[in-house]
Amino acid sequence: MSELPQRQTDIGPPHYEQFLPPVIKKNYGKWKYHEQLGPGHMVHVSESGDKLWTVRVASPRLLSTDTIKDICDIADAHCDGYLRFTTRHNVEFMVDDESKVEPLMKELKDKGFMIGGIGPRISNVVHTQGWVHCHSAATDASGLVKVLMDDLGEYFTTKSLPNRVRLAVACCVNMCGAVHCSDIALVGVHKTPPRIEHDKVKNLCEIPSTIASCPTSAISPDPQNKSVKIKIEKCMYCGNCYSVCPAMPIADPKNDGIAIVIGGKVSNLRSNPKFSKLAVPWLPNTPPRWTETVAAVRKILETYEAGAKKHERLGEWVERIGWEKFFKVTGLEFTLQHVDDFTFARETWRMAATFKW
Ligand code: SF4
Ligand code: SF4
């Protein structure tokens, strides 16, 4: 390391080591085991005899500044200012003295935070931007997360499942969320092609890059209108062209909706990591409570809870009983959309310039 003072830049994150609580820094790489003490409460024990208690709470992921201030105040008051966010956006408060645990949990409960999510339970829902922020959303993300956690909260705070169940929401198939590798995931889907606003295309869009943005080569020039045209049967409603050309909006209040995919996981414990597979092709957007979607997720979760063996992840359970039986026991309909017969994918989706480079 150079002796020169380090230049402050905004390139890349600062080194994580400076954010580690002193007890973690001291025992780095020397943790012997950990023990789960409750649904949102665990202790790590080091070879040196040091212990670290962790309390986990859910966060809605998109956080207001008031909530962030609350979280920081609690960390300042109880944890010497240290906290961490997990990959699922749970907030973890860590203390090095058992006597600090109860007051910390009391304040978290008093402030309305949900404690839980450790062990065989649902995770906090990892999600994307939704209507609040993104132009290509086919559904909302924050709203769906809210209604899902309102309904399934007991599986975070008290009830246990055969194994952990990771939940995710992505508001379109661009899929900024971890939908492809989560146990139960919702993904917003468009069902109609983009509408071309010819009078705006020529002023707002660059024709070659708009054509190049389509993964299935569905877009071609329309010289007569100084615009583009779409070969509808090749369009898979991905919305990629709308990201490049704002004169091709794809949002459709009547036909946009939600698909449910299940059985994905990142872990390689007991079986290989898995991609999620389609369980429900489309449910309508019915804000503010999305009752059909929440009921379908609960149905899948409860059927898994009743039928899986201890330690079986949702995808492992479905593979053991077979997909045919999965549709039978859940009562979900097997439809034409479950059969992948789209002929324009060719060998790979990575055909457009945007994907090649
Ligand atoms: S998943 Fe789609 S709609 Fe949602 S934030 Fe990402 S790109 Fe936007
Ligand atoms: S980029 Fe996607 S939405 Fe746009 S025309 Fe191509 S397939 Fe359809």
Side-chain angles (χ1 to χ4, degrees):
M1 226 9 206
S2 150
E3 292 303 312
L4 292 171
Q6 289 298 296
R7 190 165 61 92
Q8 289 278 325
T9 79
D10 60 355
I11 301 171
H15 197 284
Y16 65 89
E17 205 182 270
Q18 63 184 286
F19 303 113
L20 294 178
V23 63
I24 295 188
K25 217 181 227 179
K26 184 178 157 211
N27 295 285
Y28 199 83
K30 296 188 188 126
W31 296 100
K32 215 156 61 173
Y33 65 93
H34 68 275
E35 208 178 313
Q36 199 186 317
L37 306 170
H41 176 203
M42 66 179 160
V43 62
H44 283 78
V45 181
S46 160
E47 286 165 6
S48 69
D50 286 344
K51 291 184 178 179
L52 176 78
W53 284 265
T54 301
V55 179
R56 179 183 289 187
V57 300
S59 88
R61 191 166 186 239
L62 292 186
L63 295 165
S64 69
T65 46
D66 286 347
T67 310
I68 292 173
K69 275 185 191 148
D70 277 350
I71 290 171
C72 294
D73 288 346
I74 295 170
D76 277 340
H78 297 271
C79 318
D80 301 321
Y82 292 95
L83 61 86
R84 72 182 279 264
F85 282 82
T86 70
T87 52
R88 296 271 157 178
H89 305 275
N90 302 285
V91 191
E92 286 192 345
F93 297 89
M94 294 154 291
V95 291
D96 56 4
D97 182 340
E98 194 169 11
S99 67
K100 295 178 183 169
V101 176
E102 271 315 307
L104 168 63
M105 288 174 85
K106 183 177 178 313
E107 183 162 6
L108 286 167
K109 278 185 200 153
D110 289 348
K111 291 233 162 100
F113 287 99
M114 251 165 72
I115 298 175
I118 294 179
R121 307 196 148 71
I122 61 166
S123 66
N124 197 33
V125 188
V126 66
H127 73 90
T128 52
Q129 312 306 321
W131 290 328
V132 77
H133 189 66
C134 192
H135 64 288
S136 56
T139 186
D140 194 27
S142 311
L144 273 171
V145 168
K146 161 83 176 134
V147 294
L148 270 186
M149 285 306 258
D150 280 353
D151 191 66
L152 305 176
E154 60 186 349
Y155 286 101
F156 185 87
T157 53
T158 48
K159 283 178 97 170
S160 58
L161 291 156
N163 202 339
R164 62 199 67 218
V165 172
R166 301 293 192 217
L167 301 174
V169 175
C171 33
C172 87
V173 291
N174 272 335
M175 222 180 61
C176 310
V179 161
H180 62 297
C181 58
S182 294
D183 295 274
I184 305 180
L186 311 179
V187 54
V189 283
H190 298 289
K191 283 202 305 180
T192 44
R195 299 174 298 281
I196 306 171
E197 294 169 350
H198 292 295
D199 53 328
K200 292 189 186 138
V201 168
K202 52 179 171 282
N203 298 322
L204 283 172
C205 308
E206 202 186 70
I207 304 287
S209 53
T210 305
I211 292 171
S213 74
C214 179
T216 61
S217 308
I219 306 177
S220 56
D222 178 358
Q224 242 175 5
N225 288 312
K226 291 192 175 159
S227 180
V228 291
K229 55 188 176 204
I230 297 175
K231 197 163 193 182
I232 300 298
E233 63 273 25
K234 279 186 158 188
C235 177
M236 59 173 179
Y237 325 130
C238 68
N240 211 33
C241 49
Y242 182 40
S243 295
V244 175
C245 173
M248 296 174 73
I250 191 166
D252 176 346
K254 209 167 121 210
N255 292 296
D256 289 350
I258 297 157
I260 303 181
V261 291
I262 61 160
K265 72 179 183 101
V266 178
S267 150
N268 58 3
L269 199 62
R270 285 178 299 277
S271 64
N272 288 336
K274 296 177 200 308
F275 279 128
S276 313
K277 297 192 173 67
L278 185 68
V280 180
W282 190 83
L283 289 165
N285 260 326
T286 48
R289 301 306 301 179
W290 282 275
T291 40
E292 302 85 348
T293 304
V294 173
V297 172
R298 179 169 269 278
K299 181 80 203 163
I300 295 167
L301 195 69
E302 285 177 348
T303 318
Y304 159 70
E305 184 186 8
K309 292 179 183 170
K310 193 169 163 61
H311 299 311
E312 225 169 17
R313 288 289 288 264
L314 199 140
E316 292 167 339
W317 162 66
V318 179
E319 280 177 10
R320 177 170 61 78
I321 64 169
W323 281 90
E324 197 178 350
K325 187 148 181 215
F326 166 80
F327 284 102
K328 203 167 160 193
V329 290
T330 53
L332 297 174
E333 197 188 344
F334 184 81
T335 66
L336 192 64
Q337 286 79 21
H338 285 95
V339 182
D340 184 3
D341 62 349
F342 188 67
T343 49
F344 298 101
R346 290 174 275 176
E347 280 175 29
T348 162
W349 295 107
R350 296 181 177 276
M351 303 302 281
T354 41
F355 286 100
K356 275 186 196 151
W357 296 291

